[in-house]
Amino acid sequence: MGYIELNVLNTGPAQSALGIDLGTTNSLAAVWRDGRPQVLKVDGRSSLVPSVIYFPGDGQPIVGREAREQAIADPEHVLFSIKRFMGRGLKDVASELERLPYRASENERGLIQLEARGRKYSPEELSALILMKVHDVACQSLAGQDTKKCVITVPAYFDDTQRQSTRDAARIAGLEVLRIINEPTAASLAYGLDQRGKGNVVVYDLGGGTFDVTVLSIEEGVFQVRATAGDTHLGGDDFDQRLADLARKAIAAQHGTRVLEDPGFQQAVRLAAEQCKIALTGDPEAELHLSIPELRISWRQRVTREEFDALCADLHERTLTACRQALSDAKVRVSEIDEVVLVGGSTRMPGVRSRVESFFGRKPHTELNPDEVVALGAAVQAHILMGGRRDMLLLDVTPLSLGIETMGGAVSKIIDRNSTIPCEATEGFTTYADNQTGIDFHIVQGERELAKDCRSLGRFQLKGIPPMPAGLARVAVKFHIDADGVLTVSAKELGTGANAHIEIQPMHGLTDAEVEGMLSEGFRNAREDFEARRAADLATELGTMIQATEKHMNAARAGLDRESVRDLEDALTAARAALQSRDPKALQSSRDQFERATLPLAALLMNNVAQKALMGKSLGEV
Ligand code: ADP
Ligand code: MG
């Protein structure tokens, strides 16, 4: 097999970079260690971070498990399911907003903003908070070793804007994204499926609130998404609901229906249902148990796996319908599928496993934890990108063709879809009018023949072509896509060397200025930390200087002129005051003043020392 060597970002010894699964329900980081990807653990516990943010009345937002616990006590100030809003406008998510208890608005550019405690947050800022938490936890378990580099996963169906949103979130969090990769690709990588020469893989991902099924083909280590299908409102939560309904009916029969309205009751039922569901994964029978003393409710019922399965039969069926859809879109038959991978916490359910097995007629991969497998795969990719494994192929391909609009609105394709990146291609163009001194280039993306049916990526102009008859100018147009998927287009007139170029970022929701704004916001705390440390350093330095000077004041009074002595005394007074105030500016200026004032003293002391040292030595020895 012919291997293409990676264009590695780093040639030094392999450092670690994080693989991050930024999920709708849970997020997680993994890293390559001891020759394999590993999920980071803190005190032996999984470092899974619930993708939930709580905004307390005062102080910083709280992310993760603690935030999720607040959902019962203070549900109004808890934000979750943020991934659903990434890179979307208010119109795109109208149906989401009906289901979620959020206040949302649009900014002047049509981007969605969520409100908490009267402040508006973009989904990118909120995701950044989750990423920061994941990063903190990761650094903790890496014994304080800090790595800002990461690979982040997104669903295969995420479009450019949603991917760019994810990138922006990482930037706001102060992370450096090496690559954004598809979740199903990551899962396949975690299982090493890239090592097979050729084959078709199905990734079945049932998470907390979403279901995705993806058909991938692998050829020579390169993954391609053939088709993806699913349901953005089908996940573990729906399975919880079935058990919760069971409890609600029984309790309403005993206590009346009013209790069903109580927010505390609603949350408690949801949690009890999830606990029972998880217990049924391990045991054939479990107890659905609800005890709320404040409402004088104490209720329990035994549920068997069969009963639970029957309650959820239609949910299972919906996942299989999506599988059929994905197969038909990908134009592959069940018999042509070589591997099936299970992803997502909900695929721990035995009912899911048995149905998937019988649908595809083969045992799915379940050797790795389904809620860790995406992060593990991201860590594999991160390791490759850090130059750790050079024997692997590049994994990304361009999803759509890229080209230039030519005369009459047609498209001349320069890079074909599914080219592996990084890649480069050059094509020759010429002028169509006599004495034409400039050319407008319009760069488009898409598979259609006419530029107007493709997506416009950008325009630029090449000027300074010397006047000549039409068709004589020789213009080379080069398209270059780097490993991050950033496209640079350059044009050069070969006769004169006139050239121009443009760098095209995939279209994205936030402007650079907005990202910068959030960046400085995000780093405000970091800067304050820096200031505090700087002040502490100055204070220490100043303290030492004061001590040393006090020790030599007698020598100063004896050997220096009056003015210098007064300068020294003034500097000492100012320094003592600055130490009291702890004000960084005062510390800095008094240190500078001190330095100037001690110069004559230093010269005097040095002279003394030199004289002592010179005494008894002949000039030749000096
Ligand atoms: P997402 O990808 O949506 O962020 P996850 O893959 O972490 O989410 O899946 C979360 C879901 O997995 C939740 O609904 C949770 O109840 C469910 N889950 C976790 N562990 C188990 C288990 N042992 N049995 C059944 N469901 C589980
Ligand atoms: Mg997931």
Side-chain angles (χ1 to χ4, degrees), residues 421-489:
I421 63 171
C423 59
E424 198 172 272
T426 305
E427 182 102 14
F429 289 87
T430 187
T431 46
Y432 66 91
D434 287 342
N435 301 327
Q436 183 182 345
T437 55
I439 304 182
D440 281 321
F441 290 99
H442 180 205
I443 301 146
V444 296
Q445 178 181 46
E447 305 316 307
R448 307 284 296 273
E449 295 303 319
L450 291 180
K452 70 174 174 56
D453 299 322
C454 294
R455 172 136 158 230
S456 170
L457 291 181
R459 294 172 186 271
F460 74 107
Q461 249 188 355
L462 175 65
K463 289 190 192 130
I465 301 172
M468 54 182 129
L472 277 191
R474 291 278 165 267
V475 178
V477 175
K478 186 165 91 182
F479 275 48
H480 174 88
I481 306 180
D482 69 14
D484 280 336
V486 174
L487 168 68
T488 308
V489 181

Coordinates of all heavy atoms in Angstrom, one line a residue, residues 421-489:
I421 N -6.6 16.4 1.6 CA -5.9 17.6 1.9 C -4.7 17.4 2.9 O -4.8 16.4 3.6 CB -6.8 18.7 2.5 CG1 -7.4 18.3 3.9 CG2 -8.0 19.0 1.6 CD1 -8.1 19.4 4.6
P422 N -3.7 18.2 2.8 CA -3.5 19.4 2.0 C -3.3 19.0 0.5 O -2.8 17.9 0.2 CB -2.2 20.0 2.6 CG -1.5 18.9 3.2 CD -2.5 17.9 3.7
C423 N -3.7 19.9 -0.3 CA -3.5 19.7 -1.7 C -3.4 21.0 -2.5 O -3.6 22.1 -1.9 CB -4.7 18.9 -2.3 SG -6.3 19.6 -2.1
E424 N -2.9 20.9 -3.7 CA -2.6 22.1 -4.5 C -2.9 21.7 -6.0 O -2.6 20.6 -6.4 CB -1.1 22.4 -4.3 CG -0.8 23.7 -4.7 CD 0.7 24.0 -4.3 OE1 0.9 24.5 -3.2 OE2 1.6 23.8 -5.1
A425 N -3.4 22.7 -6.7 CA -3.6 22.5 -8.2 C -3.5 23.8 -8.9 O -3.9 24.8 -8.3 CB -5.0 21.8 -8.5
T426 N -2.9 23.8 -10.1 CA -2.8 25.0 -10.8 C -3.4 24.9 -12.2 O -3.4 23.8 -12.8 CB -1.3 25.4 -11.0 OG1 -0.7 25.4 -9.7 CG2 -1.1 26.7 -11.6
E427 N -4.0 26.0 -12.7 CA -4.6 25.9 -14.0 C -4.3 27.3 -14.7 O -4.2 28.3 -14.1 CB -6.1 25.8 -13.7 CG -7.0 25.7 -14.8 CD -7.5 24.3 -15.1 OE1 -7.4 23.4 -14.3 OE2 -8.0 24.1 -16.2
G428 N -4.2 27.2 -16.0 CA -3.9 28.4 -16.8 C -5.1 29.1 -17.3 O -6.1 28.5 -17.7
F429 N -5.1 30.4 -17.2 CA -6.2 31.2 -17.7 C -5.6 32.3 -18.6 O -4.4 32.6 -18.6 CB -7.0 31.9 -16.6 CG -7.8 30.9 -15.8 CD1 -7.2 30.2 -14.8 CD2 -9.1 30.6 -16.2 CE1 -8.0 29.2 -14.1 CE2 -9.9 29.7 -15.5 CZ -9.3 29.0 -14.4
T430 N -6.5 33.0 -19.4 CA -6.0 34.1 -20.2 C -7.1 35.2 -20.3 O -8.2 35.0 -19.7 CB -5.6 33.6 -21.6 OG1 -5.0 34.7 -22.3 CG2 -6.8 33.1 -22.4
T431 N -6.7 36.3 -20.9 CA -7.7 37.4 -21.1 C -8.6 37.1 -22.2 O -8.3 36.4 -23.2 CB -6.9 38.7 -21.3 OG1 -6.0 38.4 -22.3 CG2 -6.2 39.2 -20.1
Y432 N -9.8 37.7 -22.2 CA -10.8 37.5 -23.3 C -11.0 38.8 -24.1 O -11.6 38.7 -25.1 CB -12.1 36.9 -22.8 CG -12.9 37.9 -21.9 CD1 -13.8 38.7 -22.5 CD2 -12.7 37.9 -20.5 CE1 -14.5 39.6 -21.7 CE2 -13.4 38.8 -19.8 CZ -14.3 39.6 -20.3 OH -15.0 40.5 -19.6
A433 N -10.5 39.9 -23.6 CA -10.6 41.1 -24.4 C -9.2 41.7 -24.8 O -8.3 41.5 -24.0 CB -11.4 42.2 -23.7
D434 N -9.1 42.4 -25.9 CA -7.9 43.1 -26.2 C -7.5 44.1 -25.1 O -8.4 44.8 -24.6 CB -8.0 43.8 -27.6 CG -8.0 42.7 -28.7 OD1 -7.6 41.6 -28.5 OD2 -8.4 43.1 -29.8
N435 N -6.3 44.2 -24.8 CA -5.8 45.3 -23.9 C -6.4 45.2 -22.5 O -6.5 46.2 -21.8 CB -6.0 46.7 -24.5 CG -5.2 46.8 -25.8 OD1 -4.2 46.2 -26.0 ND2 -5.8 47.5 -26.7
Q436 N -6.9 44.0 -22.1 CA -7.5 43.9 -20.8 C -6.3 43.9 -19.8 O -5.4 43.1 -19.9 CB -8.2 42.5 -20.8 CG -8.9 42.3 -19.5 CD -9.6 40.9 -19.5 OE1 -9.8 40.3 -20.6 NE2 -10.0 40.4 -18.4
T437 N -6.4 44.8 -18.8 CA -5.2 44.9 -17.9 C -5.5 44.3 -16.5 O -4.7 44.3 -15.6 CB -4.8 46.4 -17.7 OG1 -6.0 47.1 -17.3 CG2 -4.3 46.9 -19.0
G438 N -6.7 43.8 -16.3 CA -7.0 43.2 -15.0 C -8.0 42.0 -15.2 O -8.7 41.9 -16.2
I439 N -8.0 41.1 -14.3 CA -8.9 40.0 -14.3 C -9.6 39.9 -12.9 O -8.9 39.9 -11.9 CB -8.2 38.6 -14.6 CG1 -7.5 38.7 -15.9 CG2 -9.3 37.5 -14.7 CD1 -6.8 37.4 -16.3
D440 N -10.9 39.7 -12.9 CA -11.6 39.4 -11.7 C -11.8 37.9 -11.5 O -12.2 37.2 -12.4 CB -13.1 40.0 -11.8 CG -13.1 41.5 -11.6 OD1 -12.3 41.9 -10.7 OD2 -13.8 42.2 -12.3
F441 N -11.4 37.5 -10.4 CA -11.6 36.0 -10.1 C -12.7 35.8 -9.1 O -12.7 36.5 -8.1 CB -10.3 35.4 -9.5 CG -9.2 35.4 -10.6 CD1 -8.2 36.3 -10.6 CD2 -9.2 34.3 -11.5 CE1 -7.2 36.3 -11.5 CE2 -8.2 34.3 -12.4 CZ -7.2 35.2 -12.5
H442 N -13.6 34.9 -9.4 CA -14.7 34.6 -8.5 C -14.5 33.1 -8.1 O -14.6 32.2 -9.0 CB -16.0 34.8 -9.2 CG -17.2 34.5 -8.3 ND1 -18.4 34.2 -8.8 CD2 -17.3 34.5 -7.0 CE1 -19.3 34.0 -7.8 NE2 -18.6 34.1 -6.7
I443 N -14.3 32.8 -6.8 CA -14.0 31.5 -6.4 C -15.3 30.9 -5.9 O -16.0 31.5 -5.1 CB -13.0 31.5 -5.3 CG1 -11.7 32.1 -5.9 CG2 -12.7 30.1 -4.8 CD1 -10.9 32.9 -4.9
V444 N -15.6 29.7 -6.4 CA -16.9 29.1 -6.0 C -16.7 27.6 -5.5 O -15.6 27.0 -5.8 CB -17.9 29.1 -7.1 CG1 -18.3 30.5 -7.5 CG2 -17.4 28.3 -8.3
Q445 N -17.6 27.1 -4.7 CA -17.6 25.8 -4.2 C -18.9 25.1 -4.6 O -19.9 25.6 -4.4 CB -17.4 25.9 -2.7 CG -17.4 24.5 -2.0 CD -17.3 24.7 -0.5 OE1 -18.0 25.6 0.1 NE2 -16.4 24.0 0.2
G446 N -18.7 23.8 -5.0 CA -20.0 23.1 -5.4 C -19.8 22.2 -6.6 O -18.8 22.3 -7.2
E447 N -20.8 21.4 -6.8 CA -20.7 20.4 -7.9 C -21.5 20.9 -9.1 O -21.5 20.2 -10.1 CB -21.3 19.1 -7.4 CG -20.6 18.6 -6.1 CD -19.1 18.7 -6.1 OE1 -18.5 18.2 -7.1 OE2 -18.6 19.3 -5.2
R448 N -22.1 22.0 -9.1 CA -23.0 22.4 -10.2 C -22.1 23.1 -11.3 O -21.0 23.6 -11.0 CB -24.1 23.4 -9.7 CG -24.9 22.9 -8.5 CD -25.9 21.9 -9.0 NE -26.9 22.5 -9.8 CZ -27.9 23.1 -9.4 NH1 -28.2 23.2 -8.1 NH2 -28.8 23.7 -10.2
E449 N -22.7 23.1 -12.5 CA -22.0 23.6 -13.6 C -21.9 25.1 -13.7 O -20.9 25.7 -14.1 CB -22.6 23.1 -14.9 CG -22.6 21.6 -15.1 CD -21.2 21.1 -15.1 OE1 -20.3 21.7 -15.6 OE2 -20.9 20.0 -14.4
L450 N -22.9 25.8 -13.2 CA -23.0 27.2 -13.3 C -22.6 27.9 -11.9 O -23.0 27.4 -10.9 CB -24.4 27.7 -13.7 CG -24.8 27.4 -15.1 CD1 -26.2 27.9 -15.4 CD2 -23.8 28.0 -16.1
A451 N -21.8 28.9 -12.0 CA -21.4 29.6 -10.8 C -22.5 30.0 -9.9 O -22.4 30.0 -8.7 CB -20.5 30.8 -11.1
K452 N -23.6 30.5 -10.5 CA -24.7 31.0 -9.7 C -25.4 29.9 -8.9 O -26.1 30.2 -7.9 CB -25.8 31.7 -10.6 CG -26.6 30.8 -11.5 CD -27.6 31.6 -12.2 CE -28.4 30.8 -13.2 NZ -29.1 29.6 -12.7
D453 N -25.2 28.6 -9.3 CA -25.8 27.5 -8.5 C -24.8 27.0 -7.4 O -25.1 26.1 -6.6 CB -26.1 26.4 -9.4 CG -27.2 26.8 -10.4 OD1 -28.1 27.6 -10.0 OD2 -27.1 26.4 -11.6
C454 N -23.6 27.5 -7.5 CA -22.6 27.1 -6.4 C -22.5 28.1 -5.3 O -23.1 29.2 -5.5 CB -21.2 26.9 -7.1 SG -21.1 25.6 -8.3
R455 N -21.8 27.8 -4.3 CA -21.6 28.7 -3.2 C -20.4 29.7 -3.5 O -19.4 29.2 -3.8 CB -21.4 27.9 -2.0 CG -21.1 28.8 -0.8 CD -21.9 28.2 0.3 NE -21.2 28.6 1.5 CZ -20.9 27.8 2.5 NH1 -21.2 26.5 2.4 NH2 -20.4 28.3 3.6
S456 N -20.7 31.0 -3.4 CA -19.6 31.9 -3.6 C -18.7 32.0 -2.4 O -19.1 32.2 -1.3 CB -20.2 33.3 -3.9 OG -19.2 34.2 -3.9
L457 N -17.4 31.8 -2.6 CA -16.5 31.8 -1.5 C -15.7 33.1 -1.4 O -15.2 33.5 -0.3 CB -15.4 30.7 -1.6 CG -16.0 29.3 -1.4 CD1 -14.8 28.3 -1.5 CD2 -16.7 29.1 0.0
G458 N -15.6 33.8 -2.5 CA -14.8 35.1 -2.5 C -14.4 35.5 -3.8 O -14.5 34.8 -4.8
R459 N -14.0 36.8 -3.9 CA -13.5 37.4 -5.2 C -12.2 38.1 -5.0 O -12.0 38.6 -3.9 CB -14.6 38.4 -5.7 CG -15.9 37.8 -6.1 CD -16.9 38.9 -6.4 NE -18.2 38.4 -6.6 CZ -18.6 38.0 -7.8 NH1 -17.9 38.1 -8.8 NH2 -19.8 37.4 -7.9
F460 N -11.4 38.2 -6.0 CA -10.3 39.0 -5.9 C -9.8 39.4 -7.3 O -10.3 38.9 -8.3 CB -9.1 38.4 -5.1 CG -8.4 37.3 -5.8 CD1 -7.1 37.5 -6.3 CD2 -9.0 36.1 -6.0 CE1 -6.4 36.5 -7.0 CE2 -8.3 35.1 -6.7 CZ -7.0 35.3 -7.1
Q461 N -8.9 40.4 -7.4 CA -8.6 41.0 -8.7 C -7.1 40.9 -8.9 O -6.3 41.1 -8.0 CB -8.9 42.5 -8.6 CG -10.0 42.8 -9.5 CD -10.2 44.3 -9.6 OE1 -9.6 45.1 -8.9 NE2 -11.1 44.7 -10.5
L462 N -6.8 40.5 -10.2 CA -5.3 40.6 -10.6 C -5.2 41.8 -11.5 O -5.9 41.9 -12.5 CB -5.0 39.3 -11.3 CG -3.5 39.3 -11.9 CD1 -2.5 39.4 -10.8 CD2 -3.3 38.1 -12.7
K463 N -4.4 42.7 -11.1 CA -4.2 44.0 -11.9 C -2.8 44.0 -12.5 O -1.9 43.2 -12.1 CB -4.4 45.2 -11.0 CG -5.8 45.4 -10.6 CD -6.0 46.8 -10.0 CE -7.3 46.9 -9.3 NZ -7.2 47.4 -7.9
G464 N -2.5 44.9 -13.4 CA -1.2 45.2 -13.8 C -0.7 44.2 -15.0 O 0.4 44.0 -15.2
I465 N -1.7 43.7 -15.7 CA -1.4 42.9 -16.9 C -1.1 43.9 -18.0 O -1.9 44.8 -18.2 CB -2.6 42.0 -17.3 CG1 -2.9 41.0 -16.1 CG2 -2.2 41.2 -18.5 CD1 -4.2 40.2 -16.3
P466 N 0.0 43.8 -18.7 CA 0.3 44.8 -19.7 C -0.7 44.6 -20.9 O -1.2 43.5 -21.1 CB 1.7 44.4 -20.2 CG 2.0 43.0 -19.7 CD 1.1 42.8 -18.5
P467 N -1.1 45.7 -21.5 CA -2.0 45.6 -22.6 C -1.5 44.7 -23.7 O -0.4 44.9 -24.1 CB -2.1 47.1 -23.1 CG -1.5 47.9 -22.0 CD -0.6 47.1 -21.3
M468 N -2.3 43.8 -24.1 CA -1.9 42.9 -25.2 C -3.2 42.3 -25.8 O -4.2 42.4 -25.2 CB -0.9 41.8 -24.8 CG -1.3 41.0 -23.6 SD 0.0 39.8 -23.2 CE 0.2 40.1 -21.5
P469 N -3.0 41.7 -27.0 CA -4.2 41.1 -27.6 C -4.8 40.1 -26.8 O -4.1 39.4 -26.0 CB -3.7 40.5 -28.9 CG -2.4 41.2 -29.2 CD -1.8 41.6 -27.9
A470 N -6.2 39.9 -26.9 CA -6.9 38.9 -26.1 C -6.2 37.5 -26.3 O -5.8 37.2 -27.4 CB -8.3 38.8 -26.6
G471 N -6.2 36.8 -25.2 CA -5.7 35.4 -25.3 C -4.2 35.2 -25.2 O -3.7 34.1 -25.2
L472 N -3.5 36.4 -25.1 CA -2.0 36.2 -25.1 C -1.5 36.2 -23.6 O -0.4 35.6 -23.4 CB -1.3 37.3 -25.8 CG -1.2 37.1 -27.3 CD1 -0.3 38.2 -27.9 CD2 -0.7 35.7 -27.7
A473 N -2.2 36.9 -22.7 CA -1.7 36.8 -21.3 C -1.7 35.4 -20.8 O -2.6 34.6 -21.2 CB -2.6 37.7 -20.5
R474 N -0.8 35.1 -20.0 CA -0.7 33.7 -19.4 C -0.8 33.8 -17.9 O 0.1 34.3 -17.3 CB 0.6 33.0 -19.8 CG 0.8 32.7 -21.2 CD 0.1 31.4 -21.5 NE -0.1 31.2 -23.0 CZ -1.2 31.6 -23.6 NH1 -2.2 32.1 -23.0 NH2 -1.3 31.4 -24.9
V475 N -2.0 33.5 -17.4 CA -2.2 33.7 -15.9 C -2.3 32.3 -15.3 O -3.2 31.5 -15.7 CB -3.5 34.5 -15.7 CG1 -3.7 34.6 -14.2 CG2 -3.3 35.9 -16.3
A476 N -1.5 32.0 -14.4 CA -1.5 30.7 -13.6 C -2.3 31.0 -12.3 O -2.0 31.9 -11.6 CB -0.1 30.2 -13.3
V477 N -3.4 30.2 -12.1 CA -4.1 30.3 -10.9 C -3.9 29.1 -10.1 O -4.1 28.0 -10.5 CB -5.6 30.5 -11.2 CG1 -6.4 30.5 -9.9 CG2 -5.9 31.8 -12.0
K478 N -3.4 29.3 -8.9 CA -3.1 28.2 -8.0 C -4.0 28.1 -6.8 O -4.3 29.1 -6.1 CB -1.6 28.3 -7.5 CG -1.2 27.1 -6.7 CD 0.4 27.2 -6.6 CE 0.7 27.9 -5.3 NZ 2.1 28.0 -5.1
F479 N -4.6 27.0 -6.6 CA -5.4 26.7 -5.4 C -4.6 25.9 -4.4 O -4.1 24.8 -4.8 CB -6.7 25.9 -5.7 CG -7.8 26.8 -6.2 CD1 -7.6 27.7 -7.2 CD2 -9.1 26.6 -5.8 CE1 -8.7 28.5 -7.7 CE2 -10.2 27.3 -6.2 CZ -10.0 28.3 -7.2
H480 N -4.5 26.3 -3.2 CA -3.8 25.5 -2.2 C -4.7 25.4 -1.0 O -5.2 26.4 -0.4 CB -2.5 26.3 -1.8 CG -1.8 25.6 -0.7 ND1 -0.9 24.6 -0.9 CD2 -1.9 25.8 0.6 CE1 -0.4 24.2 0.3 NE2 -1.0 24.9 1.2
I481 N -4.9 24.1 -0.5 CA -5.7 23.9 0.7 C -4.7 23.4 1.8 O -4.1 22.3 1.5 CB -6.8 23.0 0.5 CG1 -7.7 23.4 -0.6 CG2 -7.7 22.8 1.8 CD1 -8.9 22.5 -0.9
D482 N -4.6 24.0 2.9 CA -3.7 23.5 3.9 C -4.4 22.5 4.8 O -5.5 22.1 4.6 CB -3.1 24.7 4.7 CG -4.1 25.3 5.6 OD1 -5.2 24.8 5.8 OD2 -3.8 26.4 6.1
A483 N -3.6 21.9 5.7 CA -4.1 20.8 6.5 C -5.4 21.2 7.4 O -6.1 20.4 7.8 CB -3.0 20.3 7.5
D484 N -5.5 22.5 7.6 CA -6.7 23.0 8.3 C -7.9 23.3 7.4 O -8.9 23.7 7.9 CB -6.4 24.3 9.0 CG -5.6 24.0 10.3 OD1 -5.8 22.9 10.8 OD2 -4.9 24.9 10.8
G485 N -7.7 23.1 6.1 CA -8.8 23.3 5.2 C -9.0 24.7 4.8 O -9.9 25.1 4.2
V486 N -7.9 25.5 5.1 CA -8.0 26.9 4.6 C -7.5 27.0 3.2 O -6.4 26.5 2.9 CB -7.2 27.9 5.5 CG1 -7.1 29.3 5.0 CG2 -7.8 27.9 6.9
L487 N -8.3 27.6 2.4 CA -7.9 27.7 0.9 C -7.2 29.0 0.6 O -7.7 30.1 1.0 CB -9.2 27.6 0.1 CG -9.2 28.0 -1.3 CD1 -8.4 26.9 -2.1 CD2 -10.6 28.1 -1.9
T488 N -6.1 29.0 -0.1 CA -5.5 30.2 -0.6 C -5.5 30.1 -2.1 O -5.1 29.1 -2.6 CB -4.0 30.3 -0.1 OG1 -4.0 30.1 1.3 CG2 -3.4 31.7 -0.4
V489 N -5.9 31.1 -2.7 CA -5.9 31.2 -4.2 C -5.0 32.3 -4.6 O -5.1 33.4 -4.1 CB -7.3 31.4 -4.7 CG1 -7.3 31.4 -6.3 CG2 -8.3 30.4 -4.2

